[in-house]
Amino acid sequence: MGLSINTNPSAMAALRTLSLTQNALSSTQRQIETGLKVAEPKDNPASFTIGQAMRGDIASLEAIEEGLAFGQATVSTGNAGVLQISNALIDINQKITQAFNDGLDVTILQAEVDAQLAQITSVVNETVFNGVNLIDGVSPALDVLTGLGGVTQTIANQDLRLATLGIATIDLTNPAAALIALNGAELLVGTAMTALGTAANSFDSQAEFTQLLTDKLKEGLGILVDADLAEASAALQSLQTKEQLGIQSLAIANSRPQSILQLFQ
């Protein structure tokens, strides 16, 4: 092709090559800055779409983890209250047994039992976590988010009020009747303890599984969209060198038309 001042194919080719190099360089720099090889749809539409869906699942699982943590804390508080009541019943059992001895002052034992009964009522009323009471018999059941799609686990309220336990009053002047009533109360408290203990174990297992699932999703998302920074660093150096060479090549190509001036000297 002859020399022309209107058209410079070499310069246009050099400019195209330089433009491609700079685009690749910009992409590589963005990978290094963000740590992502797929940061927006144009990088890889399919991978970006899958990644967004995975991010949605991860966000949902994190919400489930928060719900489970709340459930664990609430049930743990309920379990603490039940244990306290159980311990009080053990102490009352001891007082009733002592009341069978004619030589002891029943009045003193009765006062101690009445104090324990008052303590049980106090525990029932105060076993509250973030406004939720699982042992007062009147609060609603607790629904805890445990799975994707709004799956929940319901924890029924355990009624441990004295009237429900059948020990609203305990008369130590009749220790045999008192012991029968106490045995019934201990069975009810044991049932509540089993229910809340089972719920606690269930939440612990579900929380562990949810955490594992979240970690695996994050790992998969990283494989899909994270940049290999070692590779990106090597590519950056190579592209920077290519850019410099491209600039020099373009400068040489742009200087070629000037050689026409020599023909007119």
Side-chain angles (χ1 to χ4, degrees), residues 95-179:
K95 305 306 178 187
I96 293 174
T97 302
Q98 290 174 338
F100 281 99
N101 294 321
D102 292 335
L104 293 178
D105 188 346
V106 175
T107 303
I108 297 176
L109 295 175
Q110 186 67 59
E112 293 177 351
V113 167
D114 291 342
Q116 289 292 347
L117 293 176
Q119 178 63 26
I120 290 175
T121 296
S122 177
V123 170
V124 168
N125 293 332
E126 295 175 6
T127 302
V128 180
F129 179 82
N130 197 29
V132 178
N133 190 322
L134 290 178
I135 63 172
D136 66 356
V138 294
S139 297
L142 176 66
D143 290 326
V144 178
L145 181 65
T146 58
L148 295 173
V151 176
T152 60
Q153 180 176 338
T154 300
I155 308 302
N157 188 287
Q158 308 296 316
D159 191 350
L160 299 185
R161 293 174 293 178
L162 293 179
T164 305
L165 295 178
I167 52 173
T169 59
I170 292 180
D171 184 3
L172 293 189
T173 61
N174 187 353
L179 189 59

Side-chain angles (χ1 to χ4, degrees), residues 15-30:
L15 183 60
R16 286 196 301 270
T17 301
L18 179 60
S19 179
L20 291 173
T21 300
Q22 289 178 329
N23 288 339
L25 181 60
S26 176
S27 176
T28 302
Q29 288 176 324
R30 186 170 65 251

Side-chain angles (χ1 to χ4, degrees), residues 187-204:
L187 288 175
L188 292 175
V189 171
T191 299
M193 190 177 296
T194 299
L196 293 181
T198 300
N201 287 334
S202 176
F203 288 155
D204 288 346

Side-chain angles (χ1 to χ4, degrees), residues 24-88:
L25 181 60
S26 176
S27 176
T28 302
Q29 288 176 324
R30 186 170 65 251
Q31 287 185 34
I32 294 174
E33 291 168 359
T34 64
L36 299 172
K37 64 181 177 183
V38 183
E40 51 186 323
K42 71 176 184 179
D43 294 331
N44 188 321
S47 294
F48 184 82
T49 300
I50 295 172
Q52 287 295 91
M54 294 177 72
R55 289 186 179 97
D57 288 341
I58 290 170
S60 296
L61 288 172
E62 288 175 345
I64 292 170
E65 288 180 23
E66 293 176 359
L68 285 169
F70 173 76
Q72 286 173 307
T74 306
V75 171
S76 178
T77 301
N79 274 322
V82 175
L83 180 59
Q84 187 69 25
I85 293 171
S86 178
N87 289 336

